[in-house]
Amino acid sequence: MTIDCCSNIAFIPDDIWEAITIKVATDSIRSLCSLRMSCKAAHDAGEADIVHRSVSIPPPHATPWWWCLNPEAKRFFDRCMAAGNPELLFREALRELFIRRNENVGIRMLNSASSRGHAAAKYAMSMMLMLRTDYNVEKQKGLELYRELDAAGLLADSNARCFSILTVSWPGEVQMPRLEEQHTVCASPTCSTRGHMPLLYDYRRRAAERNSVHAFGRASHIPCIQCRADYDLQAFVNLP
């Protein structure tokens, strides 16, 4: 139910209402619902695809359990997905890749989400491309995406986002790809750390099991960007 107030809001242009609604949608779903119930203009603005594309989706652990049972909530999320909401595209891409094993579909979804600025989708995309052994061009593209995330300081957070989705949404169902020797990114014969990332990852993992301070830092101290990518590949395939 909406309320039409006798005030100057009736004279606000539609594009301004849309911009306001987008701003509110990026805060939370609850904020968007509250705004849409305030007046007819806000309700109508909330119907735009760009609003559904911009909605901030809460993390799995913060999502009310009854949303998945509510038909209206399901219709809302379906609309967001159809509009190209990057967070929902990212989650569905992980489902396609590591549960349904539809790599081509999952890669397309990751590409769509990362093109809209979703850092975790870009991270997963870089990992999947670097795991390719049949197309060297795609491996190089994956490394370039990895370099961009590294320069922006988004690697650790993106890895954590992937971990959260995979472990909370589908516990026990995830099948990650296997990491073989031919997946090694660093090919420099003069690199002193080449081939040592599995050992470093295992050391960090065991330190984490002991709650040791040596669990922190990942491979940030390694000067070779390709070796750091090899470390992240180790972390990625061992996410669940």
Side-chain angles (χ1 to χ4, degrees):
M1 179 179 178
T2 60
I3 301 173
D4 286 310
C5 302
C6 297
S7 67
N8 291 331
I9 64 171
F11 301 100
I12 298 177
D14 292 344
D15 58 336
I16 300 299
W17 269 117
E18 187 173 278
I20 293 172
T21 309
I22 291 170
K23 181 67 175 177
V24 172
T26 58
D27 177 57
S28 71
I29 294 174
R30 294 183 187 278
S31 296
L32 174 62
C33 292
S34 296
L35 176 66
R36 292 193 64 188
M37 288 189 294
S38 64
C39 65
K40 185 177 184 304
H43 179 272
D44 293 345
E47 286 295 313
D49 281 348
I50 191 172
V51 173
H52 289 81
R53 192 180 308 134
S54 306
V55 169
S56 176
I57 307 297
H61 66 270
T63 301
W65 63 268
W66 53 265
W67 280 8
C68 64
L69 305 176
N70 186 289
E72 188 173 350
K74 187 178 185 304
R75 284 193 297 271
F76 174 80
F77 286 117
D78 287 345
R79 177 75 184 277
C80 291
M81 184 68 183
N85 184 281
E87 176 64 22
L88 292 181
L89 280 172
F90 165 63
R91 297 183 188 185
E92 191 62 23
L94 295 185
R95 186 198 299 268
E96 292 291 342
L97 286 168
F98 308 126
I99 295 180
R100 296 173 179 156
R101 311 296 288 178
N102 294 326
E103 183 173 332
N104 290 334
V105 174
I107 289 290
R108 285 199 299 271
M109 287 183 169
L110 283 181
N111 188 52
S112 180
S114 61
S115 68
R116 293 188 169 101
H118 196 286
K122 191 174 185 177
Y123 173 81
M125 181 80 169
S126 73
M127 296 293 106
M128 293 304 298
L129 291 178
M130 286 191 289
L131 283 169
R132 301 294 292 267
T133 59
D134 47 351
Y135 298 107
N136 190 55
V137 173
E138 291 196 2
K139 286 181 71 73
Q140 289 303 313
K141 180 182 177 182
L143 182 58
E144 286 305 311
L145 294 176
Y146 183 85
R147 289 179 187 272
E148 292 173 10
L149 290 166
D150 182 57
L154 296 172
L155 288 175
D157 182 65
S158 297
N159 179 274
R161 290 283 304 282
C162 290
F163 178 83
S164 173
I165 298 299
L166 292 172
T167 55
V168 176
S169 299
W170 314 292
E173 300 180 50
V174 176
Q175 302 177 57
M176 298 300 287
R178 295 186 63 179
L179 194 59
E180 307 290 350
E181 186 177 349
Q182 63 265 34
H183 293 130
T184 303
V185 177
C186 183
S188 172
T190 61
C191 179
S192 61
T193 54
R194 179 176 181 264
H196 294 176
M197 294 305 102
L199 294 174
L200 176 60
Y201 173 76
D202 189 58
Y203 173 75
R204 298 288 194 204
R205 180 182 60 80
R206 292 177 183 276
E209 291 173 355
R210 302 192 305 270
N211 293 320
S212 168
V213 294
H214 297 292
F216 301 99
R218 300 170 64 82
S220 57
H221 65 290
I222 302 295
C224 175
I225 183 71
Q226 294 179 332
C227 283
R228 294 204 299 274
D230 281 324
Y231 179 92
D232 264 281
L233 282 174
Q234 291 284 336
F236 184 72
V237 299
N238 287 285
L239 276 178

